[in-house]
Amino acid sequence: NAGVMQNPRHLVRRRGQEARLRCSPMKGHSHVYWYRQLPEEGLKFMVYLQKENIIDESGMPKERFSAEFPKEGPSILRIQQVVRGDSAAYFCASSQGEEQPQHFGDGTRLSIL
Amino acid sequence: DAKTTQPNSMESNEEEPVHLPCNHSTISGTDYIHWYRQLPSQGPEYVIHGLTSNVNNRMASLAIAEDRKSSTLILHRATLRDAAVYYCILRRAGSYQLTFGKGTKLSVIP
């Protein structure tokens, strides 16, 4: 049973570049959540998606960040024109249903030079 | 949102039981108590959750106080692999957001 798969595990970008983070949920899971963990802090909710729909993006910064979960393929978290403050670990989780436990991937560690 | 309070850190000897406390004095009747743990360089791992009754699974037990203002995660025999940060999280029925605090960093001594 494959768990939640995130790639890449580590991503280095220069300021102004774009970062694309991918997440494949567990088999049978159609609910995907993205969280961000800044150094020395707890995880913070960013966005909740179901197939082809954004359900709640209240935790996403209003600019430069977007997320999608297409009918086919992984969920993508996209950060345009990255800045140093975007350096963090980004975690994806998936669940079978909205109230079921969330299962997390091992994250993508984004470093901005 | 109701808040949880956990000790910053705890230590345990290997192969001994560990009791990790969590206070949540402002819990509401529809808040579930969830526990996750995060090993170094990994994502959080679901451990257990409950509402009112004590719960057991293959990983741990969850003991919930009768007034629900506190709970305890019990690891029956700590192993080195259990060294992690443990998060106690309240999740309202119908809510999907998990709010992670600082958690308790558990160290296991061989």
Side-chain angles (χ1 to χ4, degrees), chain A residues 9 35 56 98 102 104-106, chain B residues 36 41 43-44 91 94 96 98:
Chain A
R9 287 295 307 276
Y35 291 80
D56 179 359
E98 201 168 271
Q102 294 176 19
F104 285 79
D106 282 338
Chain B
Y36 282 78
S41 300
R91 185 176 168 189
Y96 40 79
L98 295 173

Side-chain angles (χ1 to χ4, degrees), chain B residues 6-12 20-21 84 102-107:
Chain B
Q6 300 177 252
N8 289 334
S9 62
M10 289 184 64
E11 271 187 0
S12 172
L20 294 157
K102 295 267 171 71
T104 297
K105 184 173 182 179
L106 175 68
S107 301

Side-chain angles (χ1 to χ4, degrees), chain B residues 9-23:
Chain B
S9 62
M10 289 184 64
E11 271 187 0
S12 172
N13 293 319
E14 197 177 7
E15 300 196 2
E16 290 191 358
V18 183
H19 291 235
L20 294 157
C22 181
N23 287 322

Side-chain angles (χ1 to χ4, degrees), chain B residues 26-90:
Chain B
T26 59
I27 192 170
S28 81
T30 57
D31 285 339
Y32 284 79
I33 302 158
H34 285 246
W35 283 82
Y36 282 78
R37 69 180 185 181
Q38 188 173 19
L39 279 68
S41 300
Q42 294 187 23
E45 177 184 24
Y46 166 76
V47 178
I48 200 166
H49 77 282
L51 184 63
T52 55
S53 304
N54 294 344
V55 185
N56 300 298
N57 67 20
R58 62 175 180 82
M59 288 182 73
S61 296
L62 176 60
I64 301 173
E66 205 167 317
D67 63 3
R68 301 212 323 127
K69 292 182 187 294
S70 65
S71 60
T72 303
L73 180 71
I74 302 165
L75 307 179
H76 296 286
R77 278 180 75 235
T79 68
L80 296 178
R81 201 199 167 276
D82 292 321
V85 178
Y86 286 77
Y87 298 98
C88 170
I89 298 169
L90 299 184

